[in-house]
Structure formats: C-alpha cells, structure tokens
Amino acid sequence: MWVLFLLPLVWAIPKPTITPLTPSGLRWEIPDADYELVAIHFSINQDLTGVQAGRYNVDVRTKQGSSWVYVQDGVTLHPGDTVHYWLYALSRGRPSQDLNQVWTYSGPNTQPPVTHAPVTHAPVTHAPVTNKPAHNPKTEAVTHKTPSSGHNIDSVSFNAVQKDCDDSPVCTSYPCLIFDDEFNTFDLKTWEHEITAGGGGNWEFQYYTNNRTNSYVKNGVLYLKPTLTSDQYGLNFLEHGKLELWGAGPYDTCTGNQFYGCERQGAPGRLVNPIQSAKIRSSRGFNFKYGKVEIEAKLPTGDWLWPAIWMMPTYDSYGGWPASGEIDIMESRGNLHYHDSKGQSQGVNRMGSTIHFGPDWTHDNWGRGHAEKDSKHGTFGDSFHKYGLEWDENNMKFFLDDELILTVDPGNDGFWKYGGYDKTHFTNPWAGASKMAPFDQEFFIILNVAVGGQNFFPDSFTNTGYAKPWKDADSTAFWNARNLWYPTWKPNQNNGEDAAMQINYVKVWKLKP
C-alpha cells in the first residue's frame, strides 16, 4: 500500500466556468480544492489529444478568493466555436488532470458565465507538460523521454483511479505517475528529516537537523544547504559544548543513535561536528517497489561536499546492511579540482551510480554495480541535470540526462552468484527469493548533503591548491583548515546556495502492471 497520501484526496478537478468577454477575452474560473497550482491548456477549434500542448498554456499561481481565475486577452469567440482544453492541478505533491475536455460557445445568450457540459471519463493523474512558474531558477530545458528504455514519458497518459477505502492510486494505464513533488511547498508529511550526528558509518563531519537554514523551499526548488555549526552556537561550542539531539516529539527526535549520533560532547582535539546540514527521506510518506525514478537537481560546488540521491529498503527484509540492498542513483564530490592517481577528475564534474549488496558489511560487492560519468559541459554544479533509475523484476538501469550509464542484471541465478558469494561459506540470505533479491522489496528515497569523513575522499586523490587537510575522521584537522575549504563554498554569494544541492522535482512512475 502506498502511504504517501495521508489526507483525503480530490481526484477530479472541479469543472471550470468559462466566460467569453466583450469585446474579446476568455475568462476561466476553477473552484479551489486545496490546490497549490492550477494549469490551463486550450485551443480554439483545434483538437487537443492527451497532454498535447495547446495554443494557450498558462500556470495560474494565485487564487482569487476561493477560486483560481485567469483571463486570456485577445481571444474572440463566435457562436459555434469550440474550446478544446485540459486541466492540471497539484495538491500536496499529488497531480490531477482532466483530459480531452470540450466546451462550445452557443452565442451571446450564454453570457454572462456559462459552465460547459462535462465529458465523461475516468479521473486521471499524470505528469504535467507545463513549465513551473516563470521565477523557477532552472537553467535549461529538459525532456522527459528515455529512448533507451522505449518509454516516451511525454506522449502517454498516466492514469490512476481511487481505490475504495484506500488512498492508494491504482494505475489504469502505463507508465503511471505515482509520485510528483515539484517543491512548491515543503511537504513534511512526505519528507522526514533525519536528525543525527552519526555520519552513517563514515564519520562524516556534519550533523543533520531539521532547520530551515539548512533545508527549505524557494521558488519551486528544494535547497539542502550545509552551514557552520559555529554560526548557530558560536566557536566556543565546538570544543566545550554538548550537542544533544534526543528531542521531545515525533519530528524532532534523534533518528540514529549509532556512532554517538544523538549526543556529542566537545573537547579540545575532539570537536562537536563542525558542519550542520540536512538529510531528508520519504520513508514516512512514500515507499515503492519497481518503477522509474527521475530527479532533476543542481549539485553543490565546494571542497569536501558530498551530495547524494539514493534509496534504502523500507523493511530490511533480508537483514542488516547491505543484505537488504542500497541503491545510489547519484553521488558526487563538490571539489572543483580533485583528481585520482590517473589524473581523472573526481570532483563536481563527475557523478556515479552504485548498488550495494552482500551478506554482511565486510563483503559489500558494490564494484559489480557501479559506473561513473563526466559532465559534457561545465560541471554538475553549473546547471540542473536529470538523474534517473528504471527498476523492475529483471534489472536496474541508471540514467544521466536520459543517457543510459549503467545496467545491472544479475542473471537467472540472482545476486548471490552475481556477487561471487556462491564460492564462500556464507548462508544465502536471498535463497528462495526472486532473481532481483534483495532489490525486490519496497524502498524509499533519500536526499542529503554530507561533508568529508572517511572512505569517500581517499588520501590517494589529489586536491589542487592544497592537500586534503585530514586523515581518517579527524574533524579537528578539517576544521582547522577552514580558511582553505570554506571560501570554496562561497558563503557570501547567492546566500551561500552554491554549496547547496538544489532539487527541482522528484517523480516516480510505475512502468507496468
């Protein structure tokens, strides 16, 4: 059962009142149903099929009283003219659409307002083709097509009908959009903040908190921005303060006690985590198995930043990490001038996709499911790019801007043999399950920006300008070198948002029954 939709849903958009104006113009009025955005697409005397763009296409961004009102100037209707249109509305990250609608103007007697007769059809939800509001800072046009998979996401409907006594959508055709967050608001019913200083086993230098300094929505974009802990608590706090994250309620309680994640005591040479950042997950609001995931994001630029878009299992059905799997859609490093021993760039102009699986944490065979890709123009911090996953009962495919960069197919014998574990003494945790086990269970989405720590910034890599200032998990050495790395975050420019991961949208489709 999808648990995203926690409130009563309106699946059909209320019918609009369409009014021709004198001497010209066309007025639209749509009753509000707790919408964040309403879009109108229409043509005069010209068919519109599905989500085809109309002669007129507009996003209505603000309500007038209890309705969404829009007037299209310069339109003159004559008796017998037909308005072909379709509507799109967004409520709490959930899209609704009414397609293939028709209204015919019968002449002056229909003025003032006349409401058209409805066209009978099933309520639908699917991806909009409208642009986000004009103030959206997205910097390049993108399509939603994946030629390598055969799915044209723009040319098909994504239908869903409401299930009796259940808020879960039931798809009636495929691909079927089952989740769409355009970040016009910050939906905290879907996205839960992780609150911990544990660093995920990598002893990273940030702690994660629920704070609008570090996670916020602006102009239709979600920002996950790291800042200095000393900005919040002062310099003295790092060596002498106590960071307590235990909390007192369901949304401010520490989410990870491992690795001293809920409490840290500062001392000389052993600092409280010097960076404050954000990590959000959809585990409370949206979990799914199989489908197409597409996330458009602009990555952070700045030394030792570690942005990630990834997925973890909802239930750990096969045991602790990595026996139940991990899916990393995108990981990158914020450094502008960072190279491996072969001189290959390993900074913000390179990203990677990876899966993790194995019988225990010492036998994670991530190398059997890993690929890296360089940006074709500039860096991934210069503009928005699409990071995608197509995942079904046969394989996983990873995409960058619709280009296939990695396919993982374990074969009929599954991941046990694919990882070479059949030659070990371990017991197979996936015995009797499908070939895709452990990736045949529900997962949820995670978005975060980490900083430094062990493992992800190898000592063998070279950072041009100055050497990596710490070894292992020495946060004190990292902090003492802040005059070197902090300027690369550009904290005094653009509200420090060059160091933020910016997410334009998150969409998930179910591709087939």
Side-chain angles (χ1 to χ4, degrees):
M1 168 182 171
W2 301 110
V3 294
L4 166 65
F5 305 127
L6 302 178
L7 298 176
L9 300 179
V10 177
W11 285 80
I13 299 173
K15 297 300 179 184
T17 297
I18 304 175
T19 309
L21 304 178
T22 301
S24 68
L26 195 64
R27 184 179 187 273
W28 297 75
E29 181 173 347
I30 302 169
D32 182 45
D34 195 26
Y35 293 134
E36 302 156 18
L37 171 74
V38 171
I40 304 169
H41 305 254
F42 72 98
S43 296
I44 310 299
N45 298 326
Q46 181 179 352
D47 288 342
L48 289 183
T49 302
V51 293
Q52 179 181 356
R55 171 64 176 83
Y56 305 95
N57 304 280
V58 63
D59 288 347
V60 186
R61 305 170 195 165
T62 57
K63 290 186 295 185
Q64 295 185 21
S66 60
S67 298
W68 298 79
V69 178
Y70 173 71
V71 174
Q72 179 64 58
D73 296 327
V75 174
T76 302
L77 292 186
H78 302 91
D81 283 347
T82 299
V83 178
H84 298 261
Y85 71 94
W86 61 276
L87 303 176
Y88 167 83
L90 186 69
S91 176
R92 297 184 181 276
R94 177 186 175 274
S96 297
Q97 287 182 318
D98 279 349
L99 303 181
N100 305 318
Q101 298 294 299
V102 176
W103 175 76
T104 300
Y105 176 43
S106 60
N109 291 337
T110 63
Q111 299 180 356
V114 171
T115 303
H116 69 282
V119 176
T120 302
H121 63 93
V124 297
T125 63
H126 66 84
V129 297
T130 58
N131 291 326
K132 296 178 75 172
H135 56 250
N136 189 331
K138 182 169 58 179
T139 57
E140 72 268 334
V142 297
T143 63
H144 299 283
K145 298 179 181 179
T146 309
S148 56
S149 68
H151 300 295
N152 187 328
I153 301 301
D154 273 342
S155 64
V156 296
S157 296
F158 307 96
N159 298 317
V161 298
Q162 189 168 14
K163 185 177 179 180
D164 290 342
C165 303
D166 192 346
D167 285 338
S168 302
V170 177
C171 297
T172 59
S173 67
Y174 301 87
C176 169
L177 188 69
I178 58 175
F179 180 80
D180 180 8
D181 197 337
E182 302 273 351
F183 296 108
N184 294 304
T185 61
F186 200 170
D187 182 5
L188 296 178
K189 291 183 179 293
T190 298
W191 300 105
E192 176 193 13
H193 283 82
E194 290 203 28
I195 300 174
T196 181
N202 298 299
W203 296 101
E204 300 145 22
F205 301 143
Q206 84 289 332
Y207 77 94
Y208 293 121
T209 185
N210 179 356
N211 188 309
R212 295 296 73 77
T213 297
N214 304 104
S215 57
Y216 55 91
V217 164
K218 182 176 71 174
N219 297 337
V221 172
L222 169 69
Y223 291 80
L224 302 180
K225 185 178 76 173
T227 57
L228 304 182
T229 302
S230 58
D231 289 345
Q232 177 93 1
Y233 296 107
L235 284 170
N236 190 59
F237 180 82
L238 298 180
E239 288 192 338
H240 303 287
K242 177 184 285 189
L243 181 68
E244 295 185 281
L245 302 175
W246 296 106
Y251 290 95
D252 71 347
T253 297
C254 182
T255 58
N257 188 29
Q258 192 176 29
F259 307 112
Y260 311 99
C262 297
E263 183 176 304
R264 292 283 179 96
Q265 173 64 59
R270 190 185 66 202
L271 303 181
V272 168
N273 305 42
I275 305 298
Q276 180 174 293
S277 191
K279 179 180 182 181
I280 60 174
R281 59 190 181 188
S282 71
S283 55
R284 278 183 177 166
F286 180 66
N287 300 266
F288 69 103
K289 181 178 79 171
Y290 301 148
K292 174 183 173 69
V293 183
E294 183 175 281
I295 298 174
E296 186 175 89
K298 181 180 178 183
L299 302 190
T301 300
D303 288 356
W304 320 118
L305 298 175
W306 177 2
I309 298 170
W310 51 305
M311 296 166 55
M312 287 292 284
T314 305
Y315 301 111
D316 274 0
S317 301
Y318 299 107
W321 189 90
S324 293
E326 174 182 327
I327 304 172
D328 299 336
I329 298 174
M330 185 288 304
E331 288 184 287
S332 186
R333 302 175 179 90
N335 301 54
L336 278 170
H337 308 290
Y338 195 57
H339 301 85
D340 62 19
S341 59
K342 298 179 181 179
Q344 294 179 315
S345 177
Q346 297 291 339
V348 70
N349 62 331
R350 171 164 286 204
M351 56 77 63
S353 297
T354 311
I355 64 168
H356 295 268
F357 65 99
D360 67 18
W361 68 272
T362 63
H363 294 84
D364 169 27
N365 201 344
W366 62 270
R368 293 303 311 274
H370 176 75
E372 297 180 358
K373 190 72 175 180
D374 290 337
S375 175
K376 294 180 180 179
H377 305 286
T379 76
F380 293 112
D382 293 335
S383 57
F384 284 83
H385 293 264
K386 290 192 299 182
Y387 304 93
L389 166 71
E390 287 189 10
W391 166 42
D392 61 23
E393 66 274 12
N394 295 310
N395 57 51
M396 285 180 282
K397 296 179 180 179
F398 295 81
F399 297 86
L400 170 63
D401 293 327
D402 296 323
E403 178 186 353
L404 179 65
I405 63 172
L406 172 65
T407 298
V408 182
D409 183 344
N412 293 332
D413 294 321
F415 280 94
W416 188 250
K417 186 172 183 179
Y418 184 76
Y421 303 117
D422 56 323
K423 300 180 176 62
T424 69
H425 66 279
F426 290 105
T427 299
N428 182 0
W430 315 310
S434 73
K435 64 171 278 188
M436 288 300 291
F439 303 103
D440 61 350
Q441 305 292 311
E442 286 190 356
F443 278 65
F444 58 88
I445 298 170
I446 305 172
L447 310 169
N448 70 276
V449 177
V451 180
Q454 292 178 321
N455 303 321
F456 200 61
F457 294 92
D459 292 341
S460 61
F461 288 7
T462 301
N463 187 63
T464 303
Y466 67 96
K468 176 185 166 184
W470 81 95
K471 292 185 181 297
D472 298 323
D474 188 350
S475 61
T476 300
F478 169 77
W479 176 245
N480 288 341
R482 61 190 179 276
N483 64 315
L484 298 175
W485 52 261
Y486 191 49
T488 70
W489 296 16
K490 298 182 179 179
N492 299 318
Q493 301 178 31
N494 302 321
N495 192 37
E497 289 171 353
D498 287 353
M501 181 161 66
Q502 303 175 29
I503 300 96
N504 196 29
Y505 62 75
V506 177
K507 300 177 187 287
V508 180
W509 292 266
K510 192 171 183 179
L511 295 177
K512 55 187 176 181

